[in-house]
Each structure stands twice: as structure tokens, then as C-alpha cells.
Amino acid sequence: MAEASIQVQVCHALPDNAFLRSLSVPVGTTVEQVVKLSGLLQQVPGIDLAVNMVGIYGKKKTLDTVLRQHDRVEVYRPLLADPKEARRRRAGGKPAKV
């Protein structure tokens, strides 16, 4: 009897291009396992799963999250600026008191 499998995607956006790979993996596969299977870590060597956050459809998840059919695993880049501080600068507001 064949092992049951699910269809998932792994994606990572870069400033000038994007990585997107569809995979068929066994039921019970985790986020960490599918990222490694996708080849993303070889194609984009700067990614460190201990540092980069991951998510499924825009919601943060842990590396041990078990995937479901049609999940899209996203590996996020680190933020270059604090969004709240950038918004304050654009609005011309006073700097936050620390």
C-alpha cells in the first residue's frame, strides 16, 4: 500500500526574485523537514532556520508544525527597520520615549 502524501509549497521572497517550489510529501511532514527537502537552504545560503521566522499563509509557525494539504510554507527575511518607528518617521511624529 502506498504511503499517503500531501501537496505543499515552500516560498521565500527576495528583493529581486522569489523562490517557489511545490512538493509532494508524506503526511506528518513538518515545516522544518519540507524547507530542507525543497532545496531552499542550498539555493539561498544566507537562510538560518534558527534565526529566520517561518509561517503558513502569513501566520507565524514553529519548525515542528505538522503540515496539512495545500499549506504554503513561507520563510521570512529579517526586518530591516522597526515598522512602528518607520511609521512615526513618515508621519513626522515625535520620537518615542524610552
Side-chain angles (χ1 to χ4, degrees):
M1 186 168 148
E3 186 175 329
S5 63
I6 57 174
Q7 303 298 314
V8 296
Q9 290 184 322
V10 175
C11 65
H12 178 68
L14 299 167
D16 54 347
N17 66 0
F19 176 94
L20 179 63
R21 181 135 321 138
S22 296
L23 299 157
S24 179
V25 295
V27 171
T29 300
T30 65
V31 168
E32 182 176 18
Q33 291 169 328
V34 80
V35 170
K36 290 177 179 178
L37 287 171
S38 71
L40 173 64
L41 300 178
Q42 290 77 27
Q43 192 165 337
V44 185
I47 294 176
D48 179 359
L49 292 179
V51 175
N52 292 73
M53 288 192 274
V54 295
I56 297 175
Y57 288 114
K59 295 185 179 183
K60 291 180 192 175
K61 300 292 181 182
T62 60
L63 293 173
D64 61 351
T65 301
V66 176
L67 298 171
R68 297 183 300 179
Q69 178 74 344
H70 301 299
D71 276 348
R72 183 183 66 217
V73 175
E74 302 158 344
V75 180
Y76 305 119
R77 292 181 288 148
L79 294 176
L80 298 178
D82 176 24
K84 290 180 182 178
E85 185 59 36
R87 194 174 308 117
R88 275 189 211 97
R89 282 195 306 263
R90 286 193 307 268
K94 297 178 184 176
K97 294 182 181 180
V98 180

